[in-house]
Amino acid sequence: MKPYIYITRKLPEEVLRPLLDQYEVEMWEDENSSVPRDILLEKAQKASGILSMLSDTIDKELFEQSPNLKVVANLAVGYDNIDLAAANEKGASVCNTPDVLTDTTADLTFGLMMAAARRLIEADRYVREGKWKSWSPLLMAGMDIHHKTVGIIGMGSIGEAFAKRAKGFDMDILYHNRSRKPEAEETLGAKYADLDELLTQSDFVVCLAPLTPETKGLLQKEQFQRMKSSAVFVNAARGPIVNEDALYDALVNGDIAGAGLDVFEKEPIDEHHPLLSLKNVFALPHIGSSSVETRMEMMELCVSNIRAVLEGHIPNTLVNKD
């Protein structure tokens, strides 16, 4: 009997070809919704491998009910949706997809910052709604990016890739991270700052930190009030790092000028989300790594990791190395 692999989203068949001959593979076929919890638990009970998404909760309950489970391959860099302690207790490998999406996510983050600063989405709507009647000197005037100060919260690989793009726009780069990055300081001219200093000095504050117990809820009312009233906040990391009520109040009260958001506390959001009622908010549906090339490479890495574990080898991107 072939080992069974469950995939929690529909993926292209060509990506799965290396698995189809050796294993029994089943996917959740609805592209527009997450696999329901009861179905995930049911499928996990017989699975040797699971290819999961960041929105799937792979917790202690699931591991305890899955006697054959050897590997969980998460289609994301983050893996806070997976209970690592339970995986270790089970002896199951947990894998993610770092590195392959670094540049793609940095591109999107920089684009989101530009869109927020130069009001690109708002200007597009202005034209489409037939409001453009004449040229005027300050029509849809936004903020310059070049020669401004950007503060990066989270100087991992994506943060450094973003900083490279900022350097190309002659931006002054501050960063806050749990450890110093001497190489980035030397090659990019980035300067380490504590969080308060970064918030008060930056024209753009860009969050690219991982979600950890230390970063969850990091940005509250006090942090937004320390920012410049002309500043733009960008979050392409994880939603729970930010208190969204505090962000909403900061935008309404004029504590900051605008926000570009690719992530939210609870996803997906609907059209009634309070932040979407504000004209100075630019929102995307968590598409930081969403280029065709990168997503295909991420899927291929997940497939490779599953095969490696089930064939008795060490996977390329093992999270729980201990």
Side-chain angles (χ1 to χ4, degrees):
M1 186 174 178
K2 294 181 178 179
Y4 173 79
I5 297 170
Y6 188 66
I7 302 172
T8 67
R9 285 295 188 288
K10 186 174 183 180
L11 303 184
E13 186 172 329
E14 61 265 30
V15 174
L16 302 177
R17 208 159 280 138
L19 297 177
L20 296 176
D21 291 338
Q22 292 179 267
Y23 307 104
E24 180 187 353
V25 179
E26 187 178 3
M27 286 187 292
W28 175 246
E29 293 288 340
D30 188 346
E31 297 182 26
N32 299 313
S33 68
S34 302
V35 58
R37 175 70 175 175
D38 59 335
I39 294 178
L40 176 59
L41 290 175
E42 175 193 342
K43 302 298 183 182
Q45 287 178 8
K46 62 176 182 176
S48 296
I50 294 176
L51 199 163
S52 59
M53 309 295 134
L54 199 57
S55 54
D56 301 315
T57 300
I58 312 296
D59 57 8
K60 186 177 180 66
E61 179 187 24
L62 185 146
F63 282 110
E64 288 179 343
Q65 296 181 22
S66 307
N68 302 316
L69 189 58
K70 294 181 175 62
V71 56
V72 177
N74 217 35
L75 192 75
V77 173
Y79 46 87
D80 53 277
N81 59 312
I82 302 174
D83 187 332
L84 286 185
N88 291 338
E89 188 175 332
K90 179 73 177 177
S93 298
V94 175
C95 308
N96 64 343
T97 58
D99 303 328
V100 297
L101 51 68
T102 296
D103 284 316
T104 300
T105 304
D107 285 349
L108 185 283
T109 307
F110 204 88
L112 184 54
M113 183 180 74
M114 292 186 70
R118 295 299 303 272
R119 304 170 65 183
L120 300 185
I121 299 171
E122 186 182 355
D124 176 81
R125 290 187 188 136
Y126 187 85
V127 174
R128 292 177 186 276
E129 293 170 0
K131 296 178 179 178
W132 185 24
K133 303 301 182 184
S134 66
W135 184 90
S136 62
L138 291 176
L139 176 65
M140 288 292 159
M143 296 171 55
D144 280 334
I145 294 171
H146 60 275
H147 299 115
K148 294 293 181 71
T149 298
V150 60
I152 303 170
I153 302 173
M155 198 66 155
S157 57
I158 297 173
E160 288 194 39
F162 178 89
K164 290 178 184 177
R165 288 148 179 79
K167 184 180 180 182
F169 278 69
D170 293 319
M171 301 186 82
D172 293 323
I173 302 166
L174 301 178
Y175 77 95
H176 179 71
N177 199 59
R178 62 184 176 184
S179 59
R180 297 282 293 264
K181 294 296 183 79
E183 186 176 340
E185 293 177 15
E186 182 178 349
T187 61
L188 300 172
K191 298 177 181 177
Y192 178 82
D194 63 34
L195 185 58
D196 283 351
E197 180 186 1
L198 182 148
L199 294 172
T200 57
Q201 294 190 13
S202 298
D203 300 296
F204 299 90
V205 175
V206 178
C207 183
L208 289 167
L211 180 60
T212 66
E214 292 74 30
T215 63
K216 186 174 183 180
L218 177 68
L219 299 173
Q220 302 284 341
K221 177 180 179 180
E222 296 79 5
Q223 282 69 45
F224 289 115
Q225 288 181 336
R226 288 189 175 97
M227 291 170 61
K228 296 180 180 180
S229 60
S230 59
V232 170
F233 173 70
V234 175
N235 189 6
R238 297 299 305 280
I241 295 173
V242 178
N243 180 327
E244 287 182 354
D245 291 336
L247 175 58
Y248 176 88
D249 289 342
L251 290 160
V252 169
N253 296 335
D255 295 328
I256 62 174
L261 306 172
D262 186 42
V263 291
F264 296 85
E265 283 190 74
K266 296 181 179 179
E267 298 176 352
I269 62 171
D270 61 32
E271 68 273 20
H272 304 296
H273 192 288
L275 285 167
L276 298 187
S277 68
L278 304 179
K279 290 184 178 181
N280 54 347
V281 170
F282 302 86
L284 301 178
H286 203 152
I287 56 171
S289 62
S290 189
S291 71
V292 173
E293 299 93 330
T294 293
R295 286 288 169 88
M296 293 294 285
E297 195 170 351
M298 291 168 67
M299 295 173 199
E300 290 166 358
L301 179 54
C302 285
V303 167
S304 173
N305 282 333
I306 289 172
R307 287 186 66 194
V309 173
L310 296 186
E311 293 172 10
H313 306 300
I314 297 174
N316 289 326
T317 55
L318 184 65
V319 171
N320 51 345
K321 294 182 175 62
D322 294 338

